[in-house]
Amino acid sequence: MLSRRQVLASTGVTLSAGVLGGCLSSLQQSKNGHLQLKAVSLTWEYNGQRYTNEPLDLRFDTKEKEVSGQYDPDFFSGSVDTPTNVVVSDDHHRRLSRYFHVEYLIGVCGTDFGSEDTSYGCLNTRTTRADFNRVRLNSRADVREKDDRFDVIDVEEDAYSVKTTDIHTFDFAQLHEDDGINPEDW
């Protein structure tokens, strides 16, 4: 019997990311789950001290069908289009990068993230800005964990409905004024 690789090689088939994502998932090279976190982490130094905090931290609870969290609209103006659609533009990224080390984080939960002790688990880790922008909080995604970060292979958008939102805004610069962030710059 021909192997899958031999069949594909002989037919000259080019696979799309969606098809490839499904294959990778079945081969245990990628994991599938629902998005439960989108956050942007900023790191900076001031007076010899290193600080890290998130001016954007949004979460999705699939059981309650609720998006909750907080963000600073001065840091992410226009980035939170809807509670589930959070996209950081090139301009916002460049502006943040002038002052901070910027990391994009997503969290994925599901049975593929379970351990020996549990059948269900979650993993929150870094990703690229492109992959951060690609996923929505009410999506499912095939992801591959590599070097302590997620590569998004495939996305099933709007996999879950959202019933309620509990999103608050806050003034990140004012909160960290004593830590070297000038509120006048934001």
Side-chain angles (χ1 to χ4, degrees):
M1 175 177 231
L2 290 175
S3 73
R4 178 186 189 131
R5 182 173 285 165
Q6 291 168 323
V7 170
L8 291 174
S10 68
T11 60
V13 173
T14 302
L15 297 176
S16 71
V19 172
L20 190 58
C23 292
L24 289 172
S25 183
S26 66
L27 294 174
Q28 299 299 322
Q29 292 182 5
S30 74
K31 297 178 179 183
N32 182 277
H34 67 85
L35 267 287
Q36 64 97 20
L37 168 77
K38 284 188 83 167
V40 177
S41 180
L42 303 180
T43 302
W44 69 99
E45 290 190 20
Y46 178 70
N47 285 339
Q49 175 110 15
R50 185 182 184 120
Y51 298 91
T52 300
N53 207 327
E54 291 79 34
L56 185 145
D57 186 338
L58 299 177
R59 298 165 187 265
F60 180 61
D61 182 333
T62 56
K63 290 179 184 168
E64 299 296 322
K65 298 186 186 302
E66 179 181 63
V67 175
S68 62
Q70 63 181 7
Y71 74 99
D72 183 327
D74 291 332
F75 278 68
F76 296 99
S77 173
S79 293
V80 182
D81 180 39
T82 66
T84 59
N85 190 25
V86 180
V87 176
V88 178
S89 70
D90 290 339
D91 289 340
H92 278 90
H93 176 76
R94 278 192 293 274
R95 182 173 184 221
L96 291 171
S97 295
R98 283 195 302 254
Y99 297 93
F100 308 100
H101 172 72
V102 183
E103 289 189 316
Y104 297 90
L105 309 167
I106 59 173
V108 184
C109 298
T111 57
D112 286 353
F113 296 92
S115 66
E116 291 180 16
D117 299 332
T118 63
S119 61
Y120 182 89
C122 297
L123 179 61
N124 301 338
T125 195
R126 299 174 297 121
T127 193
T128 64
R129 184 172 59 91
D131 281 348
F132 176 90
N133 286 345
R134 187 174 168 202
V135 295
R136 292 177 173 226
L137 276 170
N138 62 336
S139 297
R140 292 190 65 80
D142 287 325
V143 295
R144 181 176 48 230
E145 184 187 357
K146 181 180 175 187
D147 301 326
D148 293 324
R149 70 176 208 146
F150 279 141
D151 289 327
V152 176
I153 306 302
D154 193 24
V155 178
E156 178 189 344
E157 290 185 9
D158 302 324
Y160 301 92
S161 61
V162 176
K163 287 187 179 177
T164 60
T165 60
D166 185 19
I167 298 174
H168 303 278
T169 59
F170 72 108
D171 190 331
F172 185 80
Q174 185 177 17
L175 180 67
H176 290 286
E177 188 172 13
D178 292 339
D179 305 331
I181 297 178
N182 183 356
E184 299 301 316
D185 291 341
W186 302 95

Short mmCIF file of all heavy atoms in Angstrom, two decimals, residues 62-101:
data_model
loop_
_atom_site.label_atom_id
_atom_site.label_comp_id
_atom_site.label_asym_id
_atom_site.label_seq_id
_atom_site.Cartn_x
_atom_site.Cartn_y
_atom_site.Cartn_z
N THR A 62 -16.02 29.97 27.24
CA THR A 62 -16.94 29.26 26.34
C THR A 62 -18.20 28.80 27.06
O THR A 62 -19.26 28.70 26.44
CB THR A 62 -16.26 28.05 25.67
OG1 THR A 62 -15.75 27.17 26.68
CG2 THR A 62 -15.16 28.48 24.74
N LYS A 63 -18.11 28.48 28.35
CA LYS A 63 -19.29 28.02 29.09
C LYS A 63 -20.28 29.16 29.28
O LYS A 63 -21.47 29.01 29.07
CB LYS A 63 -18.90 27.42 30.43
CG LYS A 63 -18.18 26.10 30.30
CD LYS A 63 -17.79 25.54 31.63
CE LYS A 63 -16.99 24.26 31.40
NZ LYS A 63 -16.33 23.82 32.61
N GLU A 64 -19.77 30.31 29.71
CA GLU A 64 -20.62 31.48 29.94
C GLU A 64 -20.88 32.27 28.66
O GLU A 64 -21.70 33.17 28.65
CB GLU A 64 -20.00 32.39 30.99
CG GLU A 64 -19.82 31.74 32.35
CD GLU A 64 -21.13 31.34 33.00
OE1 GLU A 64 -22.12 32.11 32.87
OE2 GLU A 64 -21.17 30.27 33.63
N LYS A 65 -20.09 31.97 27.63
CA LYS A 65 -20.16 32.70 26.35
C LYS A 65 -19.95 34.20 26.57
O LYS A 65 -20.65 35.04 26.03
CB LYS A 65 -21.46 32.42 25.62
CG LYS A 65 -21.62 30.95 25.26
CD LYS A 65 -22.84 30.74 24.41
CE LYS A 65 -23.13 29.29 24.13
NZ LYS A 65 -22.14 28.52 23.50
N GLU A 66 -18.94 34.50 27.41
CA GLU A 66 -18.67 35.89 27.78
C GLU A 66 -17.23 36.28 27.44
O GLU A 66 -16.30 35.54 27.71
CB GLU A 66 -18.88 36.08 29.28
CG GLU A 66 -18.58 37.50 29.73
CD GLU A 66 -18.75 37.70 31.21
OE1 GLU A 66 -18.02 37.07 32.00
OE2 GLU A 66 -19.63 38.51 31.58
N VAL A 67 -17.10 37.47 26.86
CA VAL A 67 -15.79 38.08 26.65
C VAL A 67 -15.61 39.09 27.77
O VAL A 67 -16.47 39.94 27.99
CB VAL A 67 -15.69 38.78 25.28
CG1 VAL A 67 -14.35 39.50 25.16
CG2 VAL A 67 -15.86 37.78 24.15
N SER A 68 -14.48 38.99 28.47
CA SER A 68 -14.22 39.91 29.58
C SER A 68 -12.76 40.36 29.53
O SER A 68 -11.94 39.78 28.82
CB SER A 68 -14.52 39.23 30.92
OG SER A 68 -13.68 38.11 31.10
N GLY A 69 -12.47 41.38 30.31
CA GLY A 69 -11.10 41.85 30.40
C GLY A 69 -11.01 43.35 30.39
O GLY A 69 -11.99 44.05 30.65
N GLN A 70 -9.82 43.82 30.04
CA GLN A 70 -9.58 45.26 30.05
C GLN A 70 -8.52 45.63 29.01
O GLN A 70 -7.72 44.79 28.61
CB GLN A 70 -9.14 45.72 31.43
CG GLN A 70 -7.83 45.13 31.89
CD GLN A 70 -7.46 45.60 33.29
OE1 GLN A 70 -8.24 46.28 33.96
NE2 GLN A 70 -6.27 45.27 33.74
N TYR A 71 -8.57 46.90 28.62
CA TYR A 71 -7.54 47.43 27.73
C TYR A 71 -7.50 48.95 27.87
O TYR A 71 -8.45 49.58 28.34
CB TYR A 71 -7.78 47.01 26.28
CG TYR A 71 -8.92 47.74 25.58
CD1 TYR A 71 -8.66 48.80 24.73
CD2 TYR A 71 -10.23 47.35 25.79
CE1 TYR A 71 -9.70 49.47 24.09
CE2 TYR A 71 -11.27 48.01 25.15
CZ TYR A 71 -11.00 49.06 24.31
OH TYR A 71 -12.02 49.73 23.69
N ASP A 72 -6.37 49.52 27.45
CA ASP A 72 -6.22 50.97 27.44
C ASP A 72 -6.49 51.47 26.03
O ASP A 72 -5.74 51.15 25.11
CB ASP A 72 -4.79 51.36 27.87
CG ASP A 72 -4.61 52.87 27.94
OD1 ASP A 72 -5.24 53.61 27.15
OD2 ASP A 72 -3.82 53.30 28.79
N PRO A 73 -7.55 52.25 25.83
CA PRO A 73 -7.89 52.72 24.49
C PRO A 73 -6.85 53.69 23.91
O PRO A 73 -6.75 53.82 22.69
CB PRO A 73 -9.25 53.40 24.67
CG PRO A 73 -9.37 53.69 26.11
CD PRO A 73 -8.52 52.68 26.83
N ASP A 74 -6.05 54.34 24.76
CA ASP A 74 -5.00 55.22 24.25
C ASP A 74 -3.86 54.41 23.62
O ASP A 74 -3.26 54.84 22.65
CB ASP A 74 -4.44 56.12 25.36
CG ASP A 74 -5.44 57.16 25.82
OD1 ASP A 74 -6.32 57.55 25.01
OD2 ASP A 74 -5.37 57.56 27.00
N PHE A 75 -3.59 53.26 24.17
CA PHE A 75 -2.55 52.38 23.62
C PHE A 75 -3.06 51.57 22.44
O PHE A 75 -2.29 51.20 21.56
CB PHE A 75 -2.04 51.42 24.70
CG PHE A 75 -1.02 52.02 25.62
CD1 PHE A 75 -1.37 53.02 26.51
CD2 PHE A 75 0.29 51.59 25.60
CE1 PHE A 75 -0.44 53.58 27.36
CE2 PHE A 75 1.24 52.14 26.45
CZ PHE A 75 0.87 53.15 27.33
N PHE A 76 -4.37 51.28 22.43
CA PHE A 76 -4.94 50.40 21.40
C PHE A 76 -6.16 51.01 20.72
O PHE A 76 -7.14 50.33 20.46
CB PHE A 76 -5.28 49.03 22.00
CG PHE A 76 -4.06 48.31 22.47
CD1 PHE A 76 -3.70 48.32 23.80
CD2 PHE A 76 -3.24 47.67 21.56
CE1 PHE A 76 -2.54 47.68 24.23
CE2 PHE A 76 -2.09 47.02 21.98
CZ PHE A 76 -1.74 47.03 23.31
N SER A 77 -6.08 52.28 20.42
CA SER A 77 -7.17 52.97 19.74
C SER A 77 -7.46 52.28 18.41
O SER A 77 -6.58 52.10 17.58
CB SER A 77 -6.78 54.43 19.50
OG SER A 77 -7.75 55.06 18.70
N GLY A 78 -8.71 51.86 18.23
CA GLY A 78 -9.11 51.21 16.99
C GLY A 78 -8.74 49.74 16.90
O GLY A 78 -9.14 49.06 15.97
N SER A 79 -8.02 49.21 17.89
CA SER A 79 -7.62 47.81 17.84
C SER A 79 -8.73 46.86 18.26
O SER A 79 -8.79 45.73 17.80
CB SER A 79 -6.39 47.57 18.74
OG SER A 79 -5.27 48.24 18.24
N VAL A 80 -9.59 47.32 19.16
CA VAL A 80 -10.69 46.48 19.63
C VAL A 80 -11.93 46.88 18.83
O VAL A 80 -12.70 47.75 19.21
CB VAL A 80 -10.91 46.63 21.15
CG1 VAL A 80 -12.02 45.72 21.62
CG2 VAL A 80 -9.62 46.34 21.90
N ASP A 81 -12.09 46.23 17.68
CA ASP A 81 -13.20 46.53 16.77
C ASP A 81 -14.52 46.04 17.35
O ASP A 81 -15.50 46.76 17.40
CB ASP A 81 -12.91 45.88 15.41
CG ASP A 81 -14.00 46.12 14.39
OD1 ASP A 81 -14.53 47.25 14.36
OD2 ASP A 81 -14.32 45.19 13.64
N THR A 82 -14.54 44.80 17.75
CA THR A 82 -15.66 44.18 18.45
C THR A 82 -15.04 43.41 19.62
O THR A 82 -13.82 43.23 19.64
CB THR A 82 -16.46 43.22 17.55
OG1 THR A 82 -15.62 42.11 17.22
CG2 THR A 82 -16.95 43.91 16.29
N PRO A 83 -15.84 42.93 20.55
CA PRO A 83 -15.25 42.18 21.66
C PRO A 83 -14.41 40.97 21.23
O PRO A 83 -13.49 40.59 21.93
CB PRO A 83 -16.46 41.73 22.48
CG PRO A 83 -17.52 42.71 22.15
CD PRO A 83 -17.28 43.11 20.72
N THR A 84 -14.71 40.40 20.09
CA THR A 84 -13.95 39.23 19.65
C THR A 84 -12.87 39.56 18.63
O THR A 84 -11.94 38.79 18.44
CB THR A 84 -14.87 38.16 19.04
OG1 THR A 84 -15.56 38.72 17.92
CG2 THR A 84 -15.86 37.64 20.07
N ASN A 85 -12.99 40.70 17.96
CA ASN A 85 -12.05 41.05 16.90
C ASN A 85 -11.07 42.11 17.41
O ASN A 85 -11.37 43.28 17.45
CB ASN A 85 -12.80 41.56 15.67
CG ASN A 85 -11.88 41.72 14.48
OD1 ASN A 85 -10.85 41.06 14.39
ND2 ASN A 85 -12.26 42.58 13.57
N VAL A 86 -9.88 41.66 17.77
CA VAL A 86 -8.83 42.53 18.30
C VAL A 86 -7.63 42.41 17.37
O VAL A 86 -7.03 41.35 17.25
CB VAL A 86 -8.44 42.11 19.74
CG1 VAL A 86 -7.35 43.00 20.28
CG2 VAL A 86 -9.67 42.12 20.64
N VAL A 87 -7.29 43.52 16.71
CA VAL A 87 -6.22 43.53 15.72
C VAL A 87 -5.31 44.72 16.00
O VAL A 87 -5.78 45.84 16.12
CB VAL A 87 -6.81 43.64 14.29
CG1 VAL A 87 -5.71 43.76 13.26
CG2 VAL A 87 -7.71 42.44 13.99
N VAL A 88 -4.01 44.47 16.07
CA VAL A 88 -3.04 45.54 16.30
C VAL A 88 -2.40 45.90 14.96
O VAL A 88 -1.76 45.06 14.32
CB VAL A 88 -1.97 45.12 17.32
CG1 VAL A 88 -0.94 46.23 17.51
CG2 VAL A 88 -2.62 44.76 18.66
N SER A 89 -2.60 47.14 14.54
CA SER A 89 -2.12 47.60 13.23
C SER A 89 -0.60 47.79 13.23
O SER A 89 0.04 47.85 14.29
CB SER A 89 -2.79 48.92 12.86
OG SER A 89 -2.30 49.95 13.72
N ASP A 90 -0.04 47.93 12.04
CA ASP A 90 1.39 48.21 11.90
C ASP A 90 1.75 49.50 12.64
O ASP A 90 2.78 49.55 13.33
CB ASP A 90 1.77 48.37 10.42
CG ASP A 90 1.72 47.08 9.64
OD1 ASP A 90 1.79 46.00 10.27
OD2 ASP A 90 1.62 47.15 8.40
N ASP A 91 0.93 50.54 12.48
CA ASP A 91 1.21 51.82 13.13
C ASP A 91 1.24 51.70 14.66
O ASP A 91 2.13 52.24 15.31
CB ASP A 91 0.19 52.89 12.72
CG ASP A 91 0.36 53.33 11.28
OD1 ASP A 91 1.46 53.13 10.71
OD2 ASP A 91 -0.61 53.87 10.72
N HIS A 92 0.25 51.00 15.21
CA HIS A 92 0.22 50.81 16.66
C HIS A 92 1.42 49.99 17.13
O HIS A 92 2.03 50.30 18.15
CB HIS A 92 -1.07 50.13 17.11
CG HIS A 92 -2.20 51.10 17.24
ND1 HIS A 92 -3.04 51.39 16.22
CD2 HIS A 92 -2.61 51.84 18.29
CE1 HIS A 92 -3.93 52.27 16.61
NE2 HIS A 92 -3.69 52.57 17.87
N HIS A 93 1.77 48.97 16.37
CA HIS A 93 2.92 48.14 16.74
C HIS A 93 4.21 48.98 16.72
O HIS A 93 5.01 48.90 17.65
CB HIS A 93 3.05 46.94 15.81
CG HIS A 93 4.26 46.13 16.09
ND1 HIS A 93 4.35 45.28 17.17
CD2 HIS A 93 5.46 46.07 15.46
CE1 HIS A 93 5.53 44.72 17.19
NE2 HIS A 93 6.24 45.18 16.16
N ARG A 94 4.39 49.78 15.68
CA ARG A 94 5.60 50.62 15.60
C ARG A 94 5.66 51.60 16.77
O ARG A 94 6.72 51.79 17.37
CB ARG A 94 5.64 51.37 14.27
CG ARG A 94 6.18 50.54 13.12
CD ARG A 94 6.48 51.39 11.91
NE ARG A 94 5.28 51.96 11.30
CZ ARG A 94 4.52 51.35 10.39
NH1 ARG A 94 4.84 50.14 9.97
NH2 ARG A 94 3.46 51.94 9.89
N ARG A 95 4.54 52.19 17.09
CA ARG A 95 4.51 53.17 18.19
C ARG A 95 4.87 52.49 19.51
O ARG A 95 5.69 53.00 20.28
CB ARG A 95 3.14 53.82 18.30
CG ARG A 95 3.07 54.86 19.39
CD ARG A 95 1.77 55.62 19.36
NE ARG A 95 1.80 56.67 20.37
CZ ARG A 95 0.78 56.96 21.13
NH1 ARG A 95 -0.37 56.34 20.96
NH2 ARG A 95 0.87 57.91 22.04
N LEU A 96 4.27 51.34 19.78
CA LEU A 96 4.58 50.61 21.01
C LEU A 96 6.04 50.18 21.05
O LEU A 96 6.70 50.26 22.09
CB LEU A 96 3.67 49.39 21.15
CG LEU A 96 2.19 49.66 21.42
CD1 LEU A 96 1.39 48.39 21.32
CD2 LEU A 96 2.00 50.32 22.78
N SER A 97 6.56 49.72 19.91
CA SER A 97 7.93 49.22 19.84
C SER A 97 8.98 50.29 20.08
O SER A 97 10.11 49.98 20.44
CB SER A 97 8.18 48.56 18.48
OG SER A 97 7.37 47.41 18.35
N ARG A 98 8.62 51.54 19.87
CA ARG A 98 9.56 52.64 20.16
C ARG A 98 9.86 52.76 21.65
O ARG A 98 10.93 53.19 22.05
CB ARG A 98 9.02 53.97 19.64
CG ARG A 98 9.16 54.13 18.15
CD ARG A 98 8.96 55.58 17.72
NE ARG A 98 7.67 56.12 18.10
CZ ARG A 98 6.67 56.35 17.26
NH1 ARG A 98 6.81 56.09 15.97
NH2 ARG A 98 5.54 56.85 17.70
N TYR A 99 8.89 52.39 22.48
CA TYR A 99 9.02 52.55 23.92
C TYR A 99 9.19 51.24 24.68
O TYR A 99 9.71 51.23 25.80
CB TYR A 99 7.78 53.25 24.49
CG TYR A 99 7.57 54.65 23.96
CD1 TYR A 99 6.76 54.87 22.85
CD2 TYR A 99 8.18 55.74 24.57
CE1 TYR A 99 6.56 56.15 22.37
CE2 TYR A 99 7.99 57.03 24.10
CZ TYR A 99 7.18 57.22 22.99
OH TYR A 99 6.99 58.49 22.51
N PHE A 100 8.69 50.13 24.09
CA PHE A 100 8.60 48.88 24.84
C PHE A 100 9.06 47.69 23.99
O PHE A 100 9.06 47.75 22.76
CB PHE A 100 7.13 48.59 25.22
CG PHE A 100 6.44 49.71 25.92
CD1 PHE A 100 5.59 50.56 25.23
CD2 PHE A 100 6.64 49.93 27.27
CE1 PHE A 100 4.94 51.60 25.86
CE2 PHE A 100 5.99 50.96 27.92
CZ PHE A 100 5.15 51.81 27.22
N HIS A 101 9.38 46.60 24.70
CA HIS A 101 9.49 45.30 24.04
C HIS A 101 8.07 44.74 24.03
O HIS A 101 7.44 44.61 25.09
CB HIS A 101 10.44 44.38 24.81
CG HIS A 101 10.45 42.99 24.29
ND1 HIS A 101 11.03 42.64 23.10
CD2 HIS A 101 9.91 41.85 24.79
CE1 HIS A 101 10.87 41.36 22.89
NE2 HIS A 101 10.19 40.86 23.91
#
